[in-house]
Amino acid sequence: MNNLTTVISIPNNKGKIKGILLEKAEAQYKIEDESFYEGKLVIERLSDASDILPFTISEKLVKAYNLSLEGGDKVCFVGELRSYNKMIDGKSRLILSFFVKEVLESENDEYLNELSLVGYICKEPVFRTTPFNRQICDVLLAVNRASFNKSDYIPCILWGRNAKFVQNQKIGTKVSLSGRIQSRPYKKELKEGIFEERVAYEVSCQKIEIIEKENSDSSEGLA
């Protein structure tokens, strides 16, 4: 009799995005003699708005799938949402990019934008109410990479009862959440009367579950 137990590993960071390339993706940097291309993917929402998401793909995948990466190409990517710090105007800024690990056939014209994360709340949640009386909570999630001694820091935004649910969770609480990656344009005031247009990227959470509270083993969740 076989008494072995099969352990199923759930990825900490997995997403699928499908859309249209905004413009031709170009090789931007090399690691160990392999080039990496960066581009932007346009993904329509159910509303009239669209998300324009940055992605990174290795030369190995470009060649393996014979990708042209020209503007207007329809593509479907599977991968991870990763973060890194970049010095811009003398200040360190958190940059997000979808790191492509697999390319799928785009069988239809439907757009896809889905992401699931498992990580730790690493900053006090910030709860607020908008002028239109919408309840929002911002959470920064630390997500460990499977193959590297490194974490990605992913800004997440929760709405309504999900926002109320997570607002009092402590730093160190382990959660799983799912939603979509969104781009949000905003204006940054550089100095009085001078503004710069920027784009923020975050995960708009649709479902969240507490896997492990800080110093406890309880589990609960909301959809």
Side-chain angles (χ1 to χ4, degrees):
M1 184 175 180
N2 189 349
N3 293 321
L4 293 177
T5 300
T6 301
V7 178
I8 301 175
S9 178
I10 301 175
N12 287 342
N13 187 338
K14 185 174 182 179
K16 182 188 291 185
I17 58 176
K18 183 166 70 171
I20 298 174
L21 288 179
L22 179 64
E23 56 194 7
K24 181 177 176 62
E26 302 285 354
Q28 296 294 336
Y29 61 91
K30 283 188 174 184
I31 297 179
E32 296 180 354
D33 295 325
E34 182 178 10
S35 295
F36 286 82
Y37 292 73
E38 293 183 345
K40 291 185 178 180
L41 199 62
V42 181
I43 305 174
E44 290 186 4
R45 299 184 189 177
L46 294 177
S47 62
D48 292 333
S50 297
D51 292 298
I52 302 177
L53 306 181
F55 68 87
T56 304
I57 186 170
S58 68
E59 182 181 27
K60 182 188 300 182
L61 285 181
V62 172
K63 290 181 177 179
Y65 291 96
N66 194 28
L67 299 176
S68 67
L69 296 180
E70 295 286 346
D73 286 358
K74 295 179 182 179
V75 292
C76 183
F77 295 145
V78 175
E80 303 174 344
L81 184 61
R82 293 186 176 181
S83 71
Y84 62 95
N85 289 312
K86 183 177 182 179
M87 293 299 295
I88 299 177
D89 297 329
K91 295 182 179 180
S92 179
R93 287 177 56 186
L94 185 71
I95 305 297
L96 299 184
S97 183
F98 190 88
F99 186 83
V100 181
K101 303 183 77 172
E102 185 181 357
V103 180
L104 301 181
E105 292 290 336
S106 184
E107 298 177 351
N108 53 51
D109 292 332
E110 292 181 359
Y111 292 88
L112 279 177
N113 184 351
E114 53 192 36
L115 183 76
S116 59
L117 299 172
V118 176
Y120 298 86
I121 296 175
C122 60
K123 190 177 181 180
E124 290 288 348
V126 178
F127 182 86
R128 64 188 190 278
T129 301
T130 72
F132 297 100
N133 207 33
R134 295 194 69 186
Q135 295 172 321
I136 300 174
C137 192
D138 296 306
V139 173
L140 186 64
L141 208 63
V143 180
N144 295 332
R145 292 190 193 176
S147 54
F148 299 94
N149 185 24
K150 185 175 182 179
S151 296
D152 293 293
Y153 295 90
I154 312 296
C156 303
I157 186 167
L158 299 96
W159 312 82
R161 62 177 185 154
N162 280 333
K164 293 181 68 175
F165 174 74
V166 79
Q167 66 173 317
N168 295 319
Q169 300 301 325
K170 303 299 183 183
I171 294 174
T173 299
K174 187 177 183 180
V175 304
S176 68
L177 60 82
S178 59
R180 63 177 177 83
I181 311 166
Q182 70 176 19
S183 59
R184 176 173 52 83
Y186 69 100
K187 291 185 178 181
K188 171 73 173 180
E189 187 172 12
L190 303 180
K191 55 184 179 180
E192 188 174 355
I194 298 178
F195 295 84
E196 180 181 75
E197 291 189 359
R198 294 183 179 178
V199 179
Y201 301 98
E202 59 205 359
V203 177
S204 179
C205 178
Q206 297 166 346
K207 182 178 181 180
I208 184 169
E209 178 182 358
I210 304 299
I211 296 177
E212 183 179 347
K213 289 189 176 182
E214 185 189 24
N215 300 324
S216 74
D217 296 321
S218 60
S219 177
E220 53 186 317
L222 276 180

